[in-house]
Amino acid sequence: FAILPEKMQPSREQSSIRQKLGSILGLSASRAPALPQKSYDELGRPEHSTFFTADVLRELEQGVPMAQRVRAMKELHEIVATKRLEEHAVQAIWQAIKDLVDPSQPVEARHAALVFTRALIRGQFEDLGVLRAHFFRVVQGHAVKEDTQHRLELMRALTHDGRNIQYMEEAVGPFLVEWMPEAVTLGSAVEFLSLLVHLLHYNAACFEEESLVGLVQLSSTLANKSTQIEIIELCLDLLNAVVCYSSLPTDALLSFVTTLCLSLNIERVARKSLEVMLRLLGTHLGHSAIYTMCTILQERSRGQDALLLRGAVFYISMSLWGVRRVESLELSFGSVLPSVRQVPRLSIWVLCQSHCNQHAARLTVVTGGQFQFSSPNIIISHASLHVPMMSSAVASPMPSFVSSLSPSIM
């Protein structure tokens, strides 16, 4: 056999970690490895295996050249991710590499350490115990903007993709409220919201009211400003999770309702917005939600937001006398008509007129033309005489899904 030139031969540092792993795993260059016999504990999990001897750990510790430590982590990645390590191995490994996570370290080394730590957490999740609280504090205190994506991946690993927040129940809510604006600003909104939806789905009872208010308000603001459908959908999924698996705090009701009224005007999310609103109206906050929408219609400061007002008019009429009427709402028509009456007085009436007319006609049929207060037809006629129609305004059509729900008078 030809002898490789010296510059092409593996360096002593490069081969050392492989040799040590090979001796631990019973491998040699002269023969194929025999498949080890797996053994299991009383819970059906694989027994602990010894991988991280003192020699292997020494390859990860301070004092070893940085490039060699990074290379060792890459070579050990699959083992920590797929094998059940010996007792106390996680502590020993973290003790060896924790200095690499420091913000003062080079970006490449820091990211390699964070990726390795994530693999370690996922692979040894069932054996971590209270160490999860320690790693959570590491994520919580690692406020480095360049590492936001890696922090999110660590949180996903620590919570088993949002399913388990044991050992961090009280701290996770306030931390997410604090972290959310930064994560969104740095372009990780989709990943953050996806994790947050799962956390609320499986652990809503662990979120304090103050944290729920903060998350709902931040998500509502994001949905109202975003132009990305994926982000708006995730925000609606979050609102839906709060309604389904928790109790929506009253302090968050205005933000919640406002977002649903606005998102109803977006074709691709209109159906989801409607379903979330129907769930809200069916809860103990149903009457409060109707009152909130009436307040929105009466507030002068919201008079130029046609989409918001149009959404509020639709939801009020749909839930009280429309085709998707909510039976648990016990409100007289006269209690909401004064609020609806405010819309024709606004300059954006041209955008809402058709929709208001449809629901007024439906109300006339449902009640047989008898109203305790005054007919909405009279209200609309009165408004038409006193509000100049803006011929230059172009009405923005309702999404086709919403238009199909507009009550027919036939």
Side-chain angles (χ1 to χ4, degrees), residues 162-173:
R163 293 178 175 84
N164 189 331
I165 60 172
Q166 189 179 13
Y167 304 112
M168 57 187 103
E169 298 94 331
E170 296 181 0
V172 70

Side-chain angles (χ1 to χ4, degrees), residues 231-250:
I231 290 179
I232 298 174
E233 284 184 323
L234 283 169
C235 289
L236 292 178
D237 287 339
L238 186 147
L239 301 184
N240 183 62
V242 172
V243 170
C244 291
Y245 305 109
S246 184
S247 179
L248 177 66
T250 54

Side-chain angles (χ1 to χ4, degrees), residues 180-306:
M180 184 171 177
E182 178 188 335
V184 170
T185 301
L186 295 176
S188 299
V190 171
E191 295 82 359
F192 187 93
L193 288 169
S194 178
L195 174 61
L196 193 50
V197 169
H198 281 83
L199 285 167
L200 286 169
H201 181 93
Y202 293 101
N203 307 279
C206 297
F207 284 76
E208 298 289 340
E209 180 174 314
E210 185 177 354
S211 297
L212 286 175
V213 171
L215 292 173
V216 169
Q217 290 178 341
L218 288 170
S219 300
S220 298
T221 301
L222 177 60
N224 298 344
K225 293 182 177 181
S226 180
T227 58
Q228 298 182 42
I229 295 298
E230 185 178 12
I231 290 179
I232 298 174
E233 284 184 323
L234 283 169
C235 289
L236 292 178
D237 287 339
L238 186 147
L239 301 184
N240 183 62
V242 172
V243 170
C244 291
Y245 305 109
S246 184
S247 179
L248 177 66
T250 54
D251 289 345
L253 186 58
L254 177 59
S255 298
F256 196 105
V257 168
T258 298
T259 297
L260 294 182
C261 290
L262 287 171
S263 59
L264 183 72
N265 295 276
I266 304 173
E267 180 78 46
R268 291 172 61 182
V269 299
R271 184 182 299 275
K272 181 172 290 188
S273 176
L274 173 64
E275 296 303 323
V276 177
M277 177 60 84
L278 287 172
R279 291 189 181 99
L280 174 63
L281 294 175
T283 69
H284 67 289
L285 288 176
H287 291 86
S288 298
I290 294 293
Y291 173 78
T292 300
M293 287 186 280
C294 289
T295 302
I296 288 173
L297 295 178
Q298 293 181 17
E299 287 184 357
R300 292 285 182 180
S301 60
R302 301 178 185 272
Q304 298 305 312
D305 198 337

Side-chain angles (χ1 to χ4, degrees), residues 58-66 68-69 96 99-100:
R58 200 172 292 120
E59 298 287 335
L60 299 171
E61 293 176 347
Q62 296 186 55
V64 176
M66 185 73 71
Q68 187 175 336
R69 297 176 76 188
D99 65 295
L100 294 177

